[in-house]
Amino acid sequence: MLDVDSSRLAKEDGHWTSLQDTRAGLMGSYGLMRAALANNNAHWLWGEFRNGDFQATSRSDLKAVVNGDLNASYPLLQSITSWRAFYAVINSASLLIERAPEVLAADKRYTEVNYKVDVAQARALRAFAYFYMVRIWGDVPLITSSHDGSFEMKPRTDQQKVLVFAESELVAAAKDLPYVYGADVDDLLPGLYYGYNADRWRGALFTKISAYAVLAHIAAWQSHYIDAAVYTDFIMKNYSKSNIAYSTISDLTSADGIFNGASNNPIICFGFNDLYGESTANGHIEQLVLAAPLIDKQTPDLYVPKDTIATAFTDPNDQRFGLDTISGLSRTNYFVNYSGETPVFSKIKVLKGGSTNGNFAIYSSNIIFTRLEEITLLRAEALAVLGQRQDAITLLNLIKKSRGVQTFADGPDKDLVKEIFDERRRELMGEAWRWYDQVRYNKIKASNAAFNNLISKQGIYWPIAADVLSANSLLTQNSYWK
């Protein structure tokens, strides 16, 4: 029986013959990217908790991340310092790019338009994976095909070359990416997409706006603010074509808001839609920050101290969090239990089935990489650096007004760049931007000697996992962590 091939196994030589194969390959690439971000809550450990506003209550491994002790010997740190999950995304995307032409030739249902859109998404996902890795590790191996030699023996590539590749891929992909999937409103991809209409694909796939958002962040990360201004200008002029809109405070903080289910508002989103059985216990910020009274867990693993909250949220009318100086009452959109010993960060709270046991809670919240408010503030940042103060102030005040905060009035002693980053801190808290914002801010200001020393010595990057280094003799550890 062992010598007989199973009829239930799909062989490689029978794959890439129908549009079902391209759909499976593409959706698999998205799933791998979601896993790379979600596993061990890495998305937030990389971007939110390192040197951020959150403090750990008791877990030593989380304290190591918060304090920047990134080469400590904890299984969690060994896991999130490995880049293998991202190369799974890259390989999957490269495979689709290479093999999709076979489906185009073999399956008459697979149209030229469908093929171009699929390949554009794969190129955009691959470029996004490279940009994401560069922010974490700096120089990473650049692999551009699924059969590009043996990965184990591929050396690291200078990050500037990697980002040039990512930018060129995104520019090319953007030409073929639609604004909307599964609708007749977009000439690039009219009609249903893989048999589904626009409702099924809301916020789920890379659009033309998504590609420009990543381009804008690649430019800003390199301090190329002229390019960042160009890319964000395109987004601001065209976001409505993707049915994207600004989110109200209710959209942002309610359990059924933009972090739950399908929504057009996230520009780049990796969803865990409970409607499709995608709720999980791992891969959500709630797992680390929620506690009573929202779930049956007495103390969160990570919390924002009261003095940090008071420093960040200075306007009592702020709809996200404001403290009435007379009554002492607080708004609870971002925090609950503020009067207790440990405030609970409750901005994102997408629970399956309401209150559950804290050790076995199930969550359905989306991983939102960027949304319109974030891009608006990024554009304000770029314009402020370029000296276009009034336009930057207009964008900054657009966000402030939407959250009930007193608007920014310019003056000779006003620090516009600081004010923009302070607003990003408030608006994007819990969305994995805090660390990267600190890097960009200190590159601009160059006034924090300790942080700028960290930048110059490449301490802003993470160490590379020991198992990755041991598998490839051509790799070298980041110099700061040797």
Side-chain angles (χ1 to χ4, degrees), residues 70-82:
L70 306 181
N71 56 359
S73 298
Y74 294 107
L76 175 66
L77 270 73
Q78 281 298 306
S79 174
I80 66 174
T81 52
S82 172

Side-chain angles (χ1 to χ4, degrees), residues 12 15-16 21-22 24-26 28-29 32 87-103 110 115 118-119 122-123 126 143-148 169:
E12 177 65 22
H15 200 47
W16 303 107
D21 296 330
T22 52
L26 183 62
S29 297
L32 288 169
Y87 280 101
V89 178
I90 290 164
N91 187 75
S92 176
S94 296
L95 189 63
L96 185 141
I97 294 167
E98 294 161 7
R99 302 297 297 273
E102 299 174 29
V103 179
Y110 193 53
Y115 161 71
D118 287 358
V119 170
R123 296 177 78 175
R126 185 172 64 179
I143 299 173
T144 58
S145 71
S146 66
H147 50 77
D148 192 3
E169 286 289 281

